[in-house]
Amino acid sequence: MSELVTGEAVALELRPARLPSRALAVLLDLVAAMAAYVAVTIVLVTSTASLDEAAQTALSIATFVLVLVGAPIAVETLSHGRSLGKMACGLRVVRDDGGPIRFRHALVRGLIAVIEILMTFGVVACIASFVSARGRRLGDVFAGTLVVRERIPVTRTGFVPPPPPWLAGRFSGLDLSAVPDGLWLAVRQYLTRMQQLDPQVGSSMAERLAADLSERTGAPVPQGVPPAAYLAAVVQERQARESRRAFGSGSASALAPAAEGPSVVYGAPAAAYGPPAADLPPVVAPGAASESTGGGRPGKAPDVPAGDRPGTGFVPPA
């Protein structure tokens, strides 16, 4: 993975093409170019048989330059870096900043390709691409370009386990607008992989993520709620809000069945989670009124005695 920074200071993660895929793309391009060159040469030989030898030589040189040099330059310029071989291999030529190439980039690449590919049978290009950290040949270095992979294998997104049912809806009053996308991604990645982590490592990671999330929302983690359960409940609340915003209020109920059925992710059935969420006060950010506290005081979840606190049934990641 290569991180490129655009002119607007936006970091792009691109996958540079390596030598085998680039060599295959160049081979396909050369086969297509040589087929076109042979066809054009046959047509010119039959149509210019009456010309003298000097004229035929000039036409042969012009045909070579136009078909084997000019045509690839024109194709890369018009297709924004996608020749026939690159389209077949899922590759594209881009600028160093991730933008599409222009005529000058394709021109420099095409002219240097005559030396490092055609005249040396690709030996110089292979050596340069093998030595380069991003697989660039000399034409890419002088033109300021990079060949990247367009078709990236899609990995299945891991399942985000639902929170304990008694936590569903308890965080409806949280202000989630200050939570950055990077933190949401880190929380989702932890929840999808927490069963694969070492228990001690997963517990410390959940505590750090929960602390960061509570700092962004402005509300502390409620007492007695495991950090991993807190993360799952807040993620579900965010998903419910996005669902209501995109499809209307009725669609948020589609998330409830996932939390009502028996859970095998946390190692305990749903009956072990305790009372439903309606018996517990919601958690809101400081400054927001809580209906359960009365008097319009800033919402704070009241402390529940240890003997009356419902069992979470939430098993730390193993």
Side-chain angles (χ1 to χ4, degrees), residues 144-252:
T145 58
L146 175 68
V147 180
V148 298
R149 295 169 55 188
E150 281 192 314
R151 295 197 294 263
I152 299 175
V154 178
T155 57
R156 295 186 60 184
T157 303
F159 171 72
V160 178
W166 62 273
L167 281 180
R170 192 180 180 189
F171 300 97
S172 58
L174 285 183
D175 181 13
L176 305 180
S177 59
V179 182
D181 293 338
L183 182 55
W184 286 124
L185 179 61
V187 171
R188 287 182 60 88
Q189 289 178 342
Y190 165 76
L191 291 175
T192 56
R193 298 179 55 195
M194 64 181 184
Q195 300 295 332
Q196 307 171 7
L197 301 176
D198 179 78
Q200 185 176 0
V201 175
S203 178
S204 61
M205 186 179 299
E207 291 177 359
R208 290 197 303 269
L209 291 174
D212 292 341
L213 192 58
S214 63
E215 181 181 358
R216 296 286 185 173
T217 58
V221 181
Q223 289 185 345
V225 177
Y230 167 78
L231 296 174
V234 176
V235 167
Q236 187 189 59
E237 175 61 28
R238 179 175 185 256
Q239 292 175 343
R241 294 183 187 183
E242 292 180 348
S243 179
R244 287 194 297 267
R245 185 162 50 247
F247 305 106
S249 58
S251 62

Side-chain angles (χ1 to χ4, degrees), residues 95-155:
R95 300 197 306 261
D96 276 341
D97 60 358
I101 65 171
R102 302 187 182 278
F103 172 74
R104 59 186 179 87
H105 304 98
L107 178 62
V108 174
R109 282 174 47 84
L111 293 180
I112 298 181
V114 176
I115 300 175
E116 64 174 339
I117 295 180
L118 296 181
M119 293 186 177
T120 62
F121 300 99
V123 175
V124 175
C126 289
I127 295 175
S129 181
F130 183 78
V131 173
S132 174
R134 294 192 291 178
R136 302 201 302 174
R137 63 178 178 88
L138 295 180
D140 294 315
V141 175
F142 286 102
T145 58
L146 175 68
V147 180
V148 298
R149 295 169 55 188
E150 281 192 314
R151 295 197 294 263
I152 299 175
V154 178
T155 57

